[in-house]
Amino acid sequence: MAVLALALLLCVVAATAQATQPAHPAVTLEQVALTTSDGVRLDGIVYLPAGKPGPLGLMLVHGFGSNFYEAYFPYLGQAAARQGLTVLALNMRDHDRDPKTSDFTDNERDIAAGLAYLRSLGIGKIVLLGQSMGTNRVL
């Protein structure tokens, strides 16, 4: 229940983020390239809060045919990072493609690579937030 409440809060924050963003947000963006356990390269972006990051991280998981840089993920990533969370938005292996060729086993490897990366940054607790089919991936 607490995770659901956090997810809803983050959605509300993202919806209002554009109106409340300062001219120069105190968020650092870093591009990353991760490799899954089966050797697939995944590109993504990390939103790092100013100062020392807190112990909580957020991984954004997009839906089929989507990617980490469209829709509301950039707003949500920046808004959450301003609140002290380290946020990873990562392209799954089937991003922007049609027809879909990956399955949920592949998605497990993609998400595991993202989780391992966040843990390597010292993030102790990680919330997974899926969009559209990304919700099923997270489950």
Side-chain angles (χ1 to χ4, degrees):
M1 192 59 131
V3 172
L4 179 59
L6 176 62
L8 290 173
L9 174 64
L10 289 173
C11 289
V12 170
V13 169
T16 60
Q18 193 169 18
T20 61
Q21 286 182 357
H24 302 285
V27 173
T28 303
L29 281 67
E30 292 183 7
Q31 288 183 319
V32 296
L34 308 180
T35 304
T36 64
S37 62
D38 60 341
V40 175
R41 176 191 159 133
L42 304 175
D43 295 311
I45 193 160
V46 179
Y47 299 88
L48 297 165
K52 184 173 169 49
L56 184 61
L58 176 64
M59 183 172 170
L60 304 174
V61 180
H62 65 73
F64 276 146
S66 190
N67 53 55
F68 74 81
Y69 44 83
E70 292 181 333
Y72 60 87
F73 276 6
Y75 299 112
L76 181 58
Q78 289 185 31
R82 273 194 230 87
Q83 300 302 314
L85 280 76
T86 299
V87 181
L88 173 62
L90 188 64
N91 273 344
M92 301 290 108
R93 64 184 68 210
D94 61 357
H95 72 94
D96 296 316
R97 290 193 192 149
D98 229 2
K100 308 301 175 246
T101 58
S102 65
D103 60 23
F104 289 113
T105 304
D106 294 337
N107 298 155
E108 277 186 71
R109 292 182 188 111
D110 299 349
I111 292 170
L115 293 173
Y117 175 78
L118 286 170
R119 287 187 192 109
S120 77
L121 297 178
I123 305 302
K125 295 181 182 181
I126 303 167
V127 174
L128 297 173
L129 180 61
Q131 171 263 334
S132 189
M133 186 59 84
T135 305
N136 292 342
R137 292 173 168 168
V138 166
L139 293 174

